[in-house]
Amino acid sequence: MTRTGPQKIPGASQSSFYGAGRYSGSDMEVNCGVVHTTEGMTLPTYNGGAVAPTVTGVPDFKNKKIRWYQHFDVDESARALVNKLGGVETNTANAFQVELVGTCDDAHKTTWGGKKAGVDYIHWPTAPDWALAEVAWLVRWLNANHGIPLTCVKEWLAYGKDTRRPGITPASYGASPARMSMSAWRSFTGWCGHQHVPENDHGDPGALDFARVIALAKTAGESKTGTTKEETVALTDADLTKIADRVVERLLAADRFDAPKDAEDYSPDEKSPRHYWTGRTVFRDLVTRVRAIDKRTADLAAALTKEK
């Protein structure tokens, strides 16, 4: 299968990339996303890549960012899901997989091993908006570049006791009401959690508010609290004209610029007016040089045409 679209996530670290070695995956075209939580506070080693997702998000509390670490190309199967013999494909079923460093366990909602939520780690069901917005940036990028729909499953069960199933804990584990059937998984597109994937029993990412993530992702171009990521926006002809006009205005208004040493009227004497150029002179030289480039390009094209 031919991969399409960019395979490297902008700004993601490639220091833990496993896609070019022993655990490289199969080519595919992603059309759904699966969210995991690491139940830890640091970037996992994933047994050298044997159980790695596509990407891991590590919170940077000081700068209110998520630091992304990419482990496989976007259109390459990851290895964080169980895939039993027979049944249905999981890792290779066009699934982009995200591990979010932190916890979904409500037992760690405020503190965890002497650490404080929101300061030392993220309890993802109550994640701050800046963290959800960072995840939304990735979701939006995947939608724009790989077509993963901006939709998600409705029910995200809490990682805790389930009163509907006495004696079974946590609620989201095993054959929970949220777990998809094999047929539902085969046709699924959009975003879900580890708790929704068949042939798996894990219950992460708990009651993560992924509907909020989708809502933020749909608000394309809106600034996000504590983040500086920007989408690449194509400039229109009108935009380019305005920029050009501003450049010309600045050049014409300038007092002087250092003259290039290859200019015909250049003088090495710093007291000479020919050691500097005015804005008008700079503009005139730019026009001259552009015209010269155009002429050389036209001459080259004519010569190539003649050779044919």
Side-chain angles (χ1 to χ4, degrees), residues 53 129 152 164 185 188 221 240 268 293 301:
D129 221 37
C152 67
R164 294 173 297 181
W185 169 248
F188 179 73
L240 293 172
I293 291 172

Side-chain angles (χ1 to χ4, degrees), residues 35-54:
V35 185
H36 307 252
T37 50
T38 63
E39 301 309 306
M41 300 184 196
T42 58
L43 179 68
T45 61
Y46 298 118
N47 293 332
V51 291
T54 315

Side-chain angles (χ1 to χ4, degrees), residues 34-37 39 100 103-105 124-125 156-159 172 192-196 202-210:
V34 179
V35 185
H36 307 252
T37 50
E39 301 309 306
L100 300 175
T103 182
C104 66
D105 191 341
W124 281 98
W156 299 71
L157 294 180
Y159 191 96
S172 52
C192 68
H194 195 174
Q195 64 175 267
H196 301 104
H202 282 208
D204 52 309
L208 172 63
D209 189 0
F210 213 80

Side-chain angles (χ1 to χ4, degrees), residues 31-34 93-94 148-149 151-154 156 180-193 196-197:
N31 60 13
C32 68
V34 179
N94 303 322
I148 297 180
T151 57
C152 67
V153 296
K154 292 183 179 180
W156 299 71
M180 294 185 205
S181 66
M182 292 185 183
S183 60
W185 169 248
R186 287 191 182 99
S187 61
F188 179 73
T189 60
W191 287 87
C192 68
H196 301 104
V197 181

